[in-house]
Amino acid sequence: MTQTKTTQPGSEQELKHPQDHLLRSDRLPHIWCATCGIGTVLKCFIEAIDRSKIPYDDIAIVSGIGCTGRVAGYVKLDSYHTTHGRAIPFATGLKLANRRLKVVVFSGDGDLSAIGGNHLIHAARRNMDITVVCVNNFIYGMTGGQAAPTTPGTAVTSTTPWGAFEPAFNLPQLLEACGASYVARWTSLHVRRLTKSFTEALLKKGFSFVEAIAPCSTLYARRNRLGSGYDLMKFYHDHSEIRHGADVNEVDIGFQDKITVGKFIDRDRPTWLELNDQQHEATLGEKYYRHAETIAAAAEADAAAPPTGTAEKTQDGGKDSGKDGGKNGGKDDSKEGSHA
Amino acid sequence: MARADPGHVLTGSHYLDGDHACTEGALSAGCNFIAGYPITPSTEVVERFARRIPTVGGTFIQMEDEIASITAILGAAWGGAKVMTVTSGPGFSLMMENIGLGAMLETPCVIVNVQRGGPSTGLPTMVGQADIMQARWGSHGDYEIIALAPQSPQEAYTLTIEAFNLAEKYRTPVMVMLDECIGHMTEKVVIPEADSIELTERRKTDKPPGEYLPFAVGEDMIPDMAHAGEGHRYHITSLTHDEQGYPVMSAEVQDKLVRRLCDKIRNNTDEIVMLEEDGLDDADVVVLSYGITSRVARAAVDDAREKGLKVGRLRLLTVWPFPERYIRELAERVKAFVVPEINYGQLVLEVERCAAGRAQTILLPHMGGDVHDPAVILQAIEEAAS
């Protein structure tokens, strides 16, 4: 790994980020504003990659366009920064061409639910075997703070200067209705729970979706006079309500209203690839050609080396098991937000 | 050069329409991934692929729209597949942004457009050739593209294979500009033995992880590729990028990248261009055509020759890159170009530009829905020759 030399103001000490092994430190400084929530979400995600034990070389990250769309450029994995809204179909192609890959889409609410909304719902319907991380900051940040399909209530944005009035998407409800296998929502305050959900989503078969509510203090908070990034974190702390398995019809987010968080959906449905194979085997029998380069190779490799064994070669084996067991102990940490 | 896989090649004589022949060309070329969306008159291509591919080895997915289709094939190409998508006018328009992504990421892929009458929904079941300029200029920004124009089901087969070979060689999207007439015209198609079909393999890097730069090039200006999951952990971006693939927002890096994207094709125009000439040695008039129109033009040229006129035929199998130097030289020794096309004047603009006043350029437009009447072309030849 590249040794990063970062000098903090007023200090001669050389600092190295603890996740440097999966960050492109040669691309620092990043473009995100101070107190932006994306960095925190990314930190949780990288921690989850390590916990998942998925070999690094088997993971591909695909982003669309926007502030969160830049995530692909900072993660030291095979990463693709594509076009606005199109990360999901790109990821779909990547996954179908190489079934061995764990393909993750990391993008923002505008990218995924507005311009890319059609791809989002169809990928969930197909139960395409990909993980989608949606950082929801209620706004288009990169372009200067315009209203998004997720902008709640009467929030002021640059394109709703007198207050928004369109109803906002309730993303968990949308994804549940479309058929996603896994749906969770946390805020960037809930770092341990978010990390746990990311880990579960990465290991979940089928379409998994994690919504991470994150502050945009530069545009959303400033225009709505919500204070600093710290004030937003305080707001998350005071107004988040953890309700695992909540009815997704009741988790919509109003302007400065409570934010229901938790793991809402965790179910097993056959994936697109499984159904594709099943149907063709049922109708074609022996004639069906299972794509040897991918499935057979993957099966052989899996038989030869179980995922954890493989992971140890490219991931630092038991590195986080201690952390996980010690700090979380499989229980929720009550310091993160208030319980219902 | 690799050879085609016998398991993919339907060797023998067949009675196929152009759409089905195109599918067989793709399969012969080793295409193992198509993402598509139904649209007349192109759907038969993917229907045949959906039927054939489960026993050949590969994947077909019907996407939610053409935007998803083009983007999915780009993803699949980076995942290691040989990829194609198929559409017609309205879908071609929807694909444009991500055709630009394909050009920017230098992704080998084939895009088939079975052209129908436009604009907008136009004539879904009837012929047009009005997407020729869109094929070249449809996505924003500067890039070059390769586009081929078959004139028969047989060529729909052979030129689709060629399209795959060019896509791999130059790492670029390549378009097969079919039209409704050829797509739906059924003729004899001869599919050769697999070992006689030459295939260009993907330009894969031999650099180990850590040393590979995704967009570093040698003299030929074409970078070697690595697929996802091969350990390189690279970054690929649609932003202007350097050799490492990292975004760089500067005029210098933009200049270097855009020049290379264009020049890797421009500088190889002579090698890429395929054309067919007939009777040009002593011709006063040249009928220049492509696709279905070249078959109508042939009848007119034959009639004109019977009348004793010195007329030659020039057929472009490659419409993009345009054979600029060739047309410029030809313009020095002929009186006129007659250009029939099923649009209101598209490729004729290139002919006119290259002729640069040294030869007359006569457009014979047709708004679509039908092919030209050979008598109209004959009349234009007679007027040009007099």
Side-chain angles (χ1 to χ4, degrees):
Chain A
M1 297 301 147
T2 317
Q3 202 67 22
T4 327
K5 291 183 181 175
T6 311
T7 309
Q8 283 216 322
S11 160
E12 291 305 309
Q13 192 188 359
E14 283 183 3
L15 296 176
K16 187 172 176 294
H17 193 280
Q19 293 180 326
D20 196 42
H21 60 295
L22 281 180
L23 291 173
R24 294 185 192 280
S25 43
D26 53 344
R27 289 214 55 224
L28 294 174
H30 59 67
I31 61 148
W32 297 315
C33 306
T35 76
C36 169
I38 298 170
T40 313
V41 176
L42 177 57
K43 199 240 170 227
C44 297
F45 176 72
I46 286 176
E47 175 71 25
I49 287 178
D50 280 338
R51 285 193 196 176
S52 75
K53 302 281 193 283
I54 300 169
Y56 297 150
D57 291 348
D58 287 354
I59 307 172
I61 309 288
V62 186
S63 284
I65 298 297
C67 293
T68 314
R70 293 302 184 97
V71 162
Y74 298 122
V75 181
K76 206 185 287 175
L77 293 166
D78 285 331
S79 55
Y80 301 89
H81 179 223
T82 63
T83 45
H84 198 20
R86 315 306 166 201
I88 287 178
F90 192 96
T92 298
L94 208 49
K95 176 67 187 176
L96 297 185
N98 185 350
R99 299 176 177 205
R100 197 185 168 83
L101 292 175
K102 176 71 224 182
V103 183
V104 181
V105 169
F106 213 121
S107 227
D109 49 310
D111 184 81
L112 288 167
S113 76
I115 189 166
N118 199 28
H119 312 310
L120 179 69
I121 62 176
H122 286 278
R125 173 182 64 81
R126 293 181 181 113
N127 203 23
M128 190 53 67
D129 201 358
I130 59 175
T131 295
V132 175
V133 176
C134 176
V135 177
N136 181 1
N137 57 8
F138 305 138
I139 208 163
Y140 284 86
M142 182 76 85
T143 46
Q146 295 77 27
T150 46
T151 303
T154 54
V156 171
T157 72
S158 70
T159 49
T160 56
W162 310 111
F165 52 85
E166 288 186 13
F169 262 143
N170 170 351
L171 292 174
Q173 178 193 42
L174 178 69
L175 274 297
E176 190 280 331
C178 295
S181 286
Y182 184 97
V183 180
R185 173 201 278 160
W186 299 102
T187 77
S188 60
L189 178 78
H190 299 88
V191 289
R192 281 183 280 276
R193 292 187 179 83
L194 185 58
T195 304
K196 190 177 176 211
S197 270
F198 280 150
T199 313
E200 289 175 356
L202 284 167
L203 296 171
K204 183 74 187 175
K205 181 168 68 75
F207 187 90
S208 52
F209 181 84
V210 180
E211 180 182 11
I213 309 291
C216 170
S217 59
T218 303
L219 296 162
Y220 184 76
R222 182 169 56 84
R223 287 216 174 86
N224 288 290
R225 302 178 190 282
L226 303 178
S228 68
Y230 170 80
D231 294 317
L232 286 168
M233 296 303 261
K234 182 79 168 55
F235 179 83
Y236 295 161
H237 179 272
D238 295 343
H239 293 84
S240 294
E241 189 178 295
I242 298 173
R243 286 173 59 204
H244 293 299
D247 180 350
V248 290
N249 295 310
E250 294 168 4
V251 303
D252 51 316
I253 301 172
F255 181 64
Q256 291 302 94
D257 201 354
K258 76 162 189 226
I259 301 172
T260 308
V261 294
K263 178 164 77 174
F264 303 134
I265 304 292
D266 191 350
R267 62 189 169 189
D268 292 320
R269 287 177 65 219
T271 67
W272 190 93
L273 278 165
E274 287 173 342
L275 291 170
N276 176 64
D277 287 342
Q278 276 169 27
Q279 184 62 26
H280 288 125
E281 264 162 11
T283 47
L284 290 164
E286 292 288 297
K287 283 192 225 157
Y288 178 50
Y289 184 105
R290 274 188 172 238
H291 207 218
E293 288 167 37
T294 51
I295 297 184
E300 271 177 33
D302 288 346
T308 46
T310 319
E312 279 168 9
K313 289 176 200 160
T314 43
Q315 285 205 327
D316 187 4
K319 187 184 133 192
D320 25 48
S321 56
K323 265 190 220 168
D324 193 8
K327 286 189 185 171
N328 281 0
K331 286 184 289 184
D332 281 329
D333 184 340
S334 60
K335 282 177 191 164
E336 285 180 5
S338 57
H339 285 281
Chain B
M1 278 279 184
R3 301 283 162 171
D5 183 333
H8 298 193
V9 180
L10 216 57
T11 303
S13 287
H14 305 270
Y15 192 52
L16 295 177
D17 71 22
D19 282 356
H20 285 184
C22 174
T23 313
E24 290 305 325
L27 288 166
S28 291
C31 175
N32 54 10
F33 185 88
I34 288 185
Y37 185 83
I39 186 165
T40 304
S42 75
T43 317
E44 292 90 333
V45 181
V46 295
E47 285 172 339
R48 188 180 180 97
F49 191 82
R51 177 165 279 273
R52 289 262 283 130
I53 199 64
T55 57
V56 171
T59 305
F60 170 69
I61 183 167
Q62 183 172 320
M63 296 301 284
E64 51 273 17
D65 56 30
E66 289 88 347
I67 304 173
S69 301
I70 177 76
T71 317
I73 69 163
L74 299 179
W78 283 94
K82 282 190 96 167
V83 303
M84 181 166 103
T85 189
V86 188
T87 192
S88 188
F92 198 51
S93 293
L94 283 177
M95 287 184 183
M96 282 304 150
E97 185 196 12
N98 290 288
I99 287 172
L101 178 66
M104 188 64 146
L105 303 188
E106 303 182 63
T107 309
C109 62
V110 174
I111 298 144
V112 178
N113 178 358
V114 187
Q115 295 172 91
R116 64 193 222 185
S120 193
T121 311
L123 300 169
T125 62
M126 300 167 94
V127 69
Q129 288 185 311
D131 304 345
I132 292 297
M133 279 297 176
Q134 188 185 16
R136 171 66 186 84
W137 301 104
S139 198
H140 57 280
D142 277 317
Y143 61 98
E144 287 274 342
I145 209 81
I146 298 175
L148 312 178
Q151 67 153 2
S152 63
Q154 181 67 52
E155 274 191 3
Y157 173 79
T158 54
L159 290 188
T160 299
I161 298 174
E162 184 60 24
F164 273 94
N165 286 345
L166 290 165
E168 297 295 347
K169 183 168 184 186
Y170 295 101
R171 273 194 65 181
T172 180
V174 176
M175 295 174 183
V176 179
M177 300 299 284
L178 274 167
D179 57 62
E180 185 276 335
C181 271
I182 296 159
H184 288 164
M185 169 194 293
T186 303
E187 285 185 336
K188 183 177 176 181
V189 174
V190 178
I191 298 180
E193 297 286 341
D195 65 10
S196 71
I197 301 170
E198 290 190 342
L199 299 181
T200 304
E201 287 176 285
R202 187 149 297 173
R203 293 176 60 112
K204 291 293 296 290
T205 184
D206 52 11
K207 294 254 166 56
E211 288 177 33
Y212 171 62
L213 298 173
F215 296 99
V217 295
E219 270 183 20
D220 69 357
M221 292 185 283
I222 303 157
D224 292 333
M225 201 166 172
H227 299 142
E230 292 178 342
H232 297 284
R233 298 186 209 167
Y234 52 45
H235 183 56
I236 306 291
T237 178
S238 57
L239 288 164
T240 295
H241 46 266
D242 61 14
E243 291 184 342
Q244 195 178 353
Y246 282 8
V248 182
M249 302 296 101
S250 80
E252 291 74 22
V253 173
Q254 168 78 356
D255 182 270
K256 195 175 170 193
L257 176 63
V258 175
R259 276 182 196 276
R260 186 174 65 71
L261 290 178
C262 294
D263 289 346
K264 71 175 181 178
I265 292 172
R266 277 187 199 180
N267 294 357
N268 287 305
T269 299
D270 288 346
E271 197 179 328
I272 295 166
V273 161
M274 292 173 285
L275 45 77
E276 185 184 86
E277 50 178 51
D278 170 32
L280 293 190
D281 290 346
D282 64 343
D284 290 332
V285 177
V286 176
V287 178
L288 183 151
S289 58
Y290 54 92
I292 184 62
T293 307
S294 60
R295 294 175 67 147
V296 183
R298 182 174 205 139
V301 169
D302 289 348
D303 290 347
R305 282 183 187 155
E306 269 182 31
K307 293 190 171 192
L309 297 174
K310 287 182 175 175
V311 55
R313 267 182 338 110
L314 179 61
R315 178 166 79 91
L316 303 187
L317 285 76
T318 313
V319 286
W320 303 113
F322 190 75
E324 207 169 303
R325 191 178 55 81
Y326 179 91
I327 297 295
R328 200 175 291 134
E329 286 170 11
L330 194 56
E332 300 285 354
R333 55 188 172 93
V334 301
K335 279 169 65 178
F337 290 98
V338 171
V339 185
E341 37 182 355
I342 307 176
N343 57 50
Y344 209 171
Q346 295 198 6
L347 209 62
V348 70
L349 298 172
E350 284 293 281
V351 181
E352 206 166 67
R353 179 176 69 83
C354 298
R358 289 184 289 271
Q360 195 189 356
T361 307
I362 301 158
L363 166 68
L364 294 180
H366 187 308
M367 301 313 137
D370 197 357
V371 296
H372 290 74
D373 180 345
V376 173
I377 303 175
L378 176 61
Q379 192 187 340
I381 296 168
E382 287 174 328
E383 285 170 15
S386 63

